[in-house]
Structure formats: C-alpha cells, structure tokens
Amino acid sequence: QRILDEAIEELKEEKFQNLFKDEKKKFTVKDCQLDTDNEVLIPDSYVSNIEERLNLYKELNQIKDNENLISFEKKLIDRFGKIPDKLSILFNAIKLRWAGKKLGFEKIVLKNNSLRAFFTTDKNSNYFESDYFKKIMNYLRENPKDCQVKENRGKLSLRKEGVMEIHQALELFNKLISQKV
C-alpha cells in the first residue's frame, strides 16, 4: 500500500502536476514513526493466543480515525473484557502518531523523560508555510519555556523535557492542533 501511495504521489508531482496544482498547497506527511521506551502492546494476559494478537495488530494498523478506534475498543471489550491500562497506552500511541502526522512530524521520540518531534527533512517543503507550522510557532512564542525548536545535524525538531508518558505528549500535540494561527 505504501509503495502504491508513493508511486501515485510521484506521478502527481512529475507527470500530472497541472491537474494537481491545488494539492501542492497542502502538506501531508506520509507516515509518522513513534520511538518510545514505553510498553506499547496488547498484553498476552489480555489476549493469550499469539495468532489472535497478531490479527488484532493488523486490524489496528488499518484504523485511520478515532471513530473506528472506538469501535475496535468496544469489540475488544465484548470479546475479552475490560481494557487493561497497557492497552490504553497502545491506543494513545496510535492517537499520538495521528496527531504527529497532522502536525507534520515525521518521527516522534519519547525516551529518557524527553519528547522530540522531528519536522520534515525537506527544506524546500511547503510545510514551513502551512497552518500547522504556524500554529506550532505561535505556541512557542506564547509558551517560550514549555518547549523549544532545535536543529541538530540539519534536522529540525520540537523538544520538551519532562515528558515521560505517551498521554502527556498527546496532550501537548492536541494543544498545538487547537492553537490559533
């Protein structure tokens, strides 16, 4: 699926740019990776069958919005009982990736009591003129002690110290999304 999406994007940019010139104004990240030392999993004490857990992970990977995630959660409750805290962490990790993608982050690292969210590495990208980048910059101007933007080896990132849990990072990202332009 990812290869097909990349091929379509390449065709839009190279062969059919006139047809899709309005889309160039929009910025989208293809995917947002999450690297964390938090346990993000379906506990085997909740779903003991490994094949069943793998199928659930595949199904989770196909979910692209909160409405379907809620339906998935209800289905789990019906089949396996009350959702354990570790599984709630997995759901928050999924929501964090969605929020990160929406904000234009390619990668999120949540380790060692620190959050780092990496912006696109394409310096010519129209992302830096997007509303979400402006929202982040406005938030930083209004909250200069909360987080910073740093550049290291050509990679621009948003950094915030004291973030240990996924739900804390998700709260920050939701603040950024709701920020005024």
Side-chain angles (χ1 to χ4, degrees):
Q1 183 68 40
R2 188 176 293 165
I3 293 170
L4 180 61
D5 289 343
E6 288 173 4
I8 290 170
E9 285 303 313
E10 189 175 313
L11 284 171
K12 283 180 178 180
E13 290 172 9
E14 293 175 7
K15 303 245 185 227
F16 301 104
Q17 63 223 18
N18 291 337
L19 292 173
F20 296 97
K21 59 186 168 199
D22 291 338
E23 272 193 32
K24 283 204 166 219
K25 295 175 186 171
K26 298 177 193 170
F27 176 83
T28 55
V29 173
K30 289 177 178 63
D31 193 20
C32 179
Q33 290 181 323
L34 175 61
D35 185 8
T36 181
D37 50 12
N38 288 261
E39 275 195 344
V40 180
L41 49 77
I42 299 171
D44 57 358
S45 60
Y46 186 64
V47 179
S48 58
N49 183 305
I50 193 163
E51 188 175 327
E52 184 68 33
R53 276 197 319 273
L54 287 173
N55 288 333
L56 291 172
Y57 284 124
K58 286 178 187 174
E59 194 174 335
L60 260 175
N61 193 44
Q62 299 302 312
I63 295 173
K64 303 296 180 208
D65 59 46
N66 202 45
E67 184 178 316
N68 287 315
L69 186 61
I70 291 169
S71 295
F72 180 83
E73 185 175 350
K74 287 178 181 175
K75 184 174 97 173
L76 287 180
I77 292 169
D78 287 345
R79 290 178 65 197
F80 303 105
K82 184 180 179 238
I83 300 288
D85 290 340
K86 285 186 179 184
L87 191 51
S88 295
I89 294 169
L90 173 60
F91 293 154
N92 279 337
I94 291 167
K95 292 174 188 176
L96 179 65
R97 285 185 57 220
W98 291 343
K101 184 177 176 180
K102 189 173 197 174
L103 287 166
F105 297 125
E106 291 180 341
K107 184 175 183 178
I108 302 164
V109 178
L110 183 58
K111 290 185 174 184
N112 303 322
N113 209 18
S114 175
L115 167 70
R116 291 175 298 171
F118 294 88
F119 295 96
T120 181
T121 52
D122 181 3
K123 302 287 187 227
N124 298 321
S125 169
N126 62 349
Y127 170 70
F128 299 103
E129 298 161 16
S130 73
D131 285 345
Y132 282 112
F133 185 72
K134 291 174 188 173
K135 287 180 179 209
I136 293 169
M137 292 299 110
N138 285 343
Y139 182 84
L140 292 171
R141 268 192 297 281
E142 293 172 9
N143 305 282
K145 293 182 181 179
D146 192 40
C147 38
Q148 305 82 38
V149 171
K150 305 249 180 179
E151 184 175 3
N152 187 9
R153 289 186 240 159
K155 292 184 179 180
L156 193 63
S157 66
L158 176 87
R159 295 178 180 233
K160 180 175 172 72
E161 298 302 319
V163 180
M164 296 171 35
E165 305 291 332
I166 290 173
H167 73 88
Q168 294 171 305
L170 183 57
E171 286 173 14
L172 172 65
F173 283 15
N174 286 333
K175 281 182 193 175
L176 294 172
I177 289 170
S178 63
Q179 183 72 24
K180 300 252 190 258
V181 178

